[in-house]
Amino acid sequence: MNSETTTGHGDISTGMAAPAGSGDSNASATRITPGNALRPEDIALEVRTGLVKPSADVAEYALRLGDDALILAQRLGHWISRAPELEEDVALGNIALDQLGHARSFLTYAGGALGENGEAKSEDDLAYFRREHEFRSAHLFEQPNGDFAATIARQFVVSYYQFELYRRLTQSTDATLAAIAAKAVKEVDYHRDHSTQWVLRLAGGTEESRRRMIHGLKMMWPYVGELFEDDALLTRLGETGAAVVPSSIRDDFDRLTGEVLTEAGLEVPDVPVAPGGGRQGKHSEYLGYILAEMQVLAREHPGASW
Amino acid sequence: MAVQNLQSVTAELSPEELEAAARRDAEGQANFDRVIADDSRIEPKDWMPAAYRKTLLRQISQHAHSEIIGMQPEANWISRAPSLKRKAILMAKVQDEAGHGLYLYSAAETLGQSRDKMMDDLIAGKARYSSIFNYPARTWADMGAIGWLVDGAAICNQVPLCRASYGPYGRAMVRVCKEESFHQRQGFEILLELANGTPEQKQMAQDAVDRWYAPALMMFGPPDDDSPNSRQSMAWNIKRFSNDELRHRFVGMMAEQVKVLGLTLPDDQVRFNEETKKWEHGPLDWNEFKEVLAGRGPCNAQRLERRRQAHDDGAWVREAAAAYAAKQQAKQSMTTKEDAA
């Protein structure tokens, strides 16, 4: 795995060349690049025609990444029509859309190994017809939106984590994971910039915004630890070069988020670490409600197409 | 903003100044009349009659408010969209509407009113928005019907507005219309999928079309003989076709498209009149229209409260952003001074 150090939020380029066949390396996250951008439908086609098939381990890994992004998209989508400014309706909506796009790609790929009788499961089978304990999201992604500062705190942690993760995953020995990451990392770079700017603004704005920003970070920080925990699956996949071993990106995460917090005059919250468990299907109390809402209509009409 | 309104400033002007102002107004009016006669464009810095400015400001801000309030019925289904692809499309669509609101508020600002003021008027209940958004989005099929019928009606209304005499409005509409046509197609596609789905899905689609048809037709405004402002707007090249002309054209399009869907319109009087060469439809309940307009619709209170809540909840964020920007600016001007010294 690539371990070169990254620069902070001031550098908007990823400094990574996309691996061959992973789509247009010059594609912009904000510009449509028809014909080049990797779409979940392309992955679905490759999975269906047997062009690609993830191993059981890779599928489980893709499920984790996909569930993180899906649950976060579901959370962020709630802000659309409720944000503090119209510009933020657009911005948070964009981040939600990006996350949903990543989720669709990862889940579609995971589904290639999760069906029965050689049939793939679709992204929708996985999103709408799995039960709570079958989800693999980490607790951080499930945390409630809270106020705008809490949402920004969650996004700040997520985008620095995902950026370091995807940046390295572009070098994965698994070509599909690498291709998904190559598209995602460009988008997450913008998320990093967005949340950084808001951390600085809220910390340096008014007394109230500073108090809320500190509180938001305090609410989210117990769930940071889970993101960087290794387990047997990750160790196995790390050895083959397919996955990024989470503990390996902790230092960069701490350094880069630390720089922003220092600039904002904030401290890393001194809070106890929660044990997590999402990767084994042990979730926060929130996930059940998220799924109940997300799945209700699809489950009323099993087998229907939309 | 120097609004050309002589009455308000006459007290402070000397006779010479007064005469010069009157001459400027006469020249301005002559230029304005020429631009309108040439079917050309008025730009923000051009002289324009106070009534023209007022009419446009009202129309554009109402249009912007409609986009913003119109996000709510669809946002209601983002979390429950029945497939991830539909969820993505719906999110993008509602996000587009926020974008339309932004262009339109910007266009309105060129007429001399701040977005903050327009937003305050909206949440104070002083400004109007399209009544259609005071109806509830009860089922998923409403996402289809809103796209097909409501956005369809909006497009019929808005395509001629791309040629509106006020430049910033016309240009904003070009962009809005491009996105709206995507919106309508996605609505049609949702209904098509439902109409070809299970019996429950088809029923859901028909029910949504039944509920949105008449309110969508009423989006074009009252019948021509009851629309006092239309004539002036047409003389100013803001509006190009009358309410009824647009409504008839729309009914004709829907009458054809509904056949492709395999659904029906809840109106057995839709027909093409060979003599007048116009589409006709059955009577509309204008009393209901007036009731909803007067605030007595199913969701009026809910829509306004939701906007007010978002605005109030976000107040501390906007204050923080402003305070931070001011501090940054102060810091920067200090640095510039130090550099100069």
Side-chain angles (χ1 to χ4, degrees):
Chain A
M1 268 307 90
N2 187 308
S3 63
E4 74 179 70
T5 53
T6 35
T7 52
H9 64 273
D11 178 11
I12 61 154
S13 74
T14 62
M16 300 297 292
S22 67
D24 179 6
S25 62
N26 297 316
S28 154
T30 52
R31 209 170 45 222
I32 300 165
T33 47
N36 284 321
L38 178 78
R39 300 170 315 144
E41 288 81 2
D42 303 327
I43 299 172
L45 186 69
E46 289 184 348
V47 166
R48 217 168 39 240
T49 54
L51 230 94
V52 297
K53 186 175 163 65
S55 67
D57 274 0
V58 166
E60 176 71 13
Y61 181 59
L63 208 53
R64 293 179 180 187
L65 302 181
D67 284 347
D68 285 352
L70 175 62
I71 299 304
L72 182 61
Q74 186 73 5
R75 281 296 196 204
L76 288 170
H78 185 77
W79 277 106
I80 304 175
S81 76
R82 294 180 176 89
E85 284 269 32
L86 287 177
E87 285 81 351
E88 284 305 306
D89 281 292
V90 175
L92 293 172
N94 234 340
I95 296 172
L97 264 172
D98 289 343
Q99 293 285 336
L100 184 55
H102 309 160
R104 294 183 60 204
S105 293
F106 282 126
L107 293 182
T108 299
Y109 187 43
L114 296 175
E116 281 157 27
N117 308 325
E119 290 236 337
K121 282 201 174 191
S122 72
E123 51 175 311
D124 289 337
D125 293 336
L126 293 174
Y128 292 96
F129 294 94
R130 267 183 306 157
R131 296 172 62 199
E132 187 177 331
H133 68 275
E134 297 172 294
F135 274 76
R136 291 291 174 262
S137 46
H139 287 216
L140 178 69
F141 299 88
E142 302 165 8
Q143 295 306 304
N145 285 339
D147 63 7
F148 185 72
T151 289
I152 290 299
R154 185 182 61 202
Q155 202 58 46
F156 176 66
V157 174
V158 167
S159 55
Y160 276 85
Y161 160 72
Q162 286 183 332
F163 185 83
E164 293 308 309
L165 172 65
Y166 293 153
R167 189 175 74 83
R168 289 165 175 83
L169 199 59
T170 58
Q171 303 298 307
S172 171
T173 50
D174 184 290
T176 305
L177 288 179
I180 298 170
K183 178 168 191 286
V185 71
K186 291 175 199 147
E187 298 174 347
V188 168
D189 200 9
Y190 285 99
H191 308 173
R192 209 166 63 134
D193 190 39
H194 174 263
S195 61
T196 297
Q197 287 186 39
W198 273 114
V199 167
L200 294 175
R201 262 186 221 124
L202 296 182
T206 63
E207 256 175 59
E208 182 183 8
S209 68
R210 186 172 178 81
R211 178 176 57 75
R212 286 178 185 258
M213 191 66 245
I214 290 169
H215 183 70
L217 289 165
K218 208 170 146 187
M219 296 305 291
M220 297 301 165
W221 224 264
Y223 311 103
V224 172
E226 183 187 7
L227 304 176
F228 302 98
E229 272 170 25
D230 300 340
D231 62 11
L233 174 81
L234 290 159
T235 309
R236 278 199 305 279
L237 288 174
E239 279 164 10
T240 67
V244 178
V245 178
S247 61
S248 73
I249 60 176
R250 180 78 204 233
D251 285 350
D252 277 348
F253 171 87
D254 285 344
R255 180 174 56 79
L256 293 166
T257 52
E259 283 171 9
V260 177
L261 294 177
T262 303
E263 191 181 339
L266 298 173
E267 284 168 9
V268 176
D270 184 16
V271 289
V273 180
R279 306 304 187 200
Q280 291 84 46
K282 294 175 206 154
H283 293 284
S284 67
E285 289 181 340
Y286 307 115
L287 185 66
Y289 292 91
I290 298 174
L291 298 183
E293 191 173 338
M294 184 175 80
Q295 296 178 334
V296 62
L297 179 58
R299 288 187 173 219
E300 265 180 52
H301 303 266
S305 83
W306 302 93
Chain B
M1 191 86 199
V3 176
Q4 280 73 12
N5 185 342
L6 280 177
Q7 287 91 334
S8 63
V9 289
T10 41
E12 299 139 36
L13 295 180
S14 67
E16 294 78 27
E17 286 169 323
L18 206 59
E19 198 180 308
R23 201 167 48 240
R24 274 199 305 276
D25 274 3
E27 283 166 11
Q29 180 76 50
N31 181 61
F32 178 83
D33 292 343
R34 197 162 46 242
V35 169
I36 298 297
D38 292 349
D39 202 358
S40 184
R41 281 205 152 143
I42 302 293
E43 295 298 335
K45 287 187 174 149
D46 294 342
W47 187 97
M48 64 188 88
Y52 176 84
R53 185 185 297 276
K54 198 175 151 197
T55 295
L56 274 169
L57 188 56
R58 192 184 57 224
Q59 181 170 341
I60 302 172
S61 61
Q62 281 180 7
H63 193 162
H65 297 330
S66 302
E67 296 283 356
I68 300 312
I69 298 290
M71 293 168 71
Q72 292 183 29
E74 292 173 296
N76 188 42
W77 282 93
I78 289 176
S79 66
R80 292 173 293 167
S83 78
L84 296 185
K85 184 180 171 190
R86 291 281 173 217
K87 189 191 289 286
I89 293 170
L90 186 61
M91 266 189 196
K93 180 180 187 232
V94 183
Q95 190 200 30
D96 278 354
E97 282 153 11
H100 296 174
L102 282 171
Y103 316 146
L104 287 162
Y105 282 126
S106 299
E109 282 190 311
T110 66
L111 292 160
Q113 195 166 84
S114 72
R115 185 167 123 197
D116 286 347
K117 170 78 169 73
M118 290 184 262
M119 196 58 87
D120 287 346
D121 285 350
L122 173 64
I123 58 182
K126 286 193 238 164
R128 280 188 171 153
Y129 55 86
S130 180
S131 271
I132 193 82
F133 301 117
N134 290 317
Y135 290 88
R138 290 208 179 93
T139 72
W140 170 253
D142 289 28
M143 299 304 95
I146 290 175
W148 181 51
L149 291 169
V150 175
D151 293 333
I155 294 169
C156 266
N157 236 333
Q158 291 169 8
V159 166
L161 288 174
C162 296
R163 293 189 288 127
S165 57
Y166 189 56
Y169 191 31
R171 288 188 288 272
M173 292 320 300
V174 171
R175 214 169 147 175
V176 169
C177 283
K178 280 184 191 165
E179 294 180 351
E180 288 293 350
S181 71
F182 272 113
H183 295 177
Q184 196 202 12
R185 269 157 46 189
Q186 69 87 35
F188 184 84
E189 204 197 347
I190 287 175
L191 289 177
L192 190 64
E193 193 80 31
L194 293 174
N196 290 302
T198 65
E200 290 85 3
Q201 284 180 305
K202 183 165 186 178
Q203 175 54 39
M204 195 194 284
Q206 184 62 58
D207 167 66
V209 170
D210 290 350
R211 283 183 289 112
W212 289 95
Y213 170 77
L217 254 56
M218 290 193 275
M219 283 172 70
F220 295 96
D224 293 348
D225 52 19
D226 189 24
S227 179
N229 298 328
S230 284
R231 193 183 306 249
Q232 179 62 72
S233 281
M234 287 174 77
W236 277 332
N237 293 347
I238 298 172
K239 204 172 160 65
R240 300 283 177 168
F241 302 99
S242 79
N243 295 351
D244 285 332
E245 279 176 302
L246 290 168
R247 186 167 17 245
H248 295 154
R249 193 182 296 179
F250 176 67
V251 166
M253 284 160 51
M254 296 302 107
E256 293 303 317
Q257 291 177 15
V258 78
K259 291 181 201 159
V260 181
L261 290 174
L263 299 172
T264 55
L265 296 177
D267 182 345
D268 57 12
Q269 294 176 51
V270 171
R271 67 178 192 115
F272 186 71
N273 185 326
E274 289 293 348
E275 278 171 37
T276 60
K277 300 286 173 206
K278 277 183 183 159
W279 281 88
E280 292 175 353
H281 56 80
L284 294 166
D285 184 355
W286 290 105
N287 193 44
E288 176 185 310
F289 179 80
K290 283 174 186 154
E291 284 294 296
V292 179
L293 202 63
R296 292 184 287 272
C299 299
N300 296 56
Q302 177 193 339
R303 299 286 186 245
L304 218 51
E305 180 54 23
R306 163 87 160 273
R307 179 86 311 259
R308 189 180 299 129
Q309 179 109 40
H311 192 74
D312 291 352
D313 287 353
W316 69 270
V317 179
R318 296 189 300 275
E319 281 159 22
Y324 182 75
K327 284 182 201 172
Q328 291 299 104
Q329 201 166 14
K331 222 188 274 178
Q332 200 159 21
S333 65
M334 201 108 91
T335 324
T336 320
K337 269 183 210 152
E338 277 167 20
D339 287 351

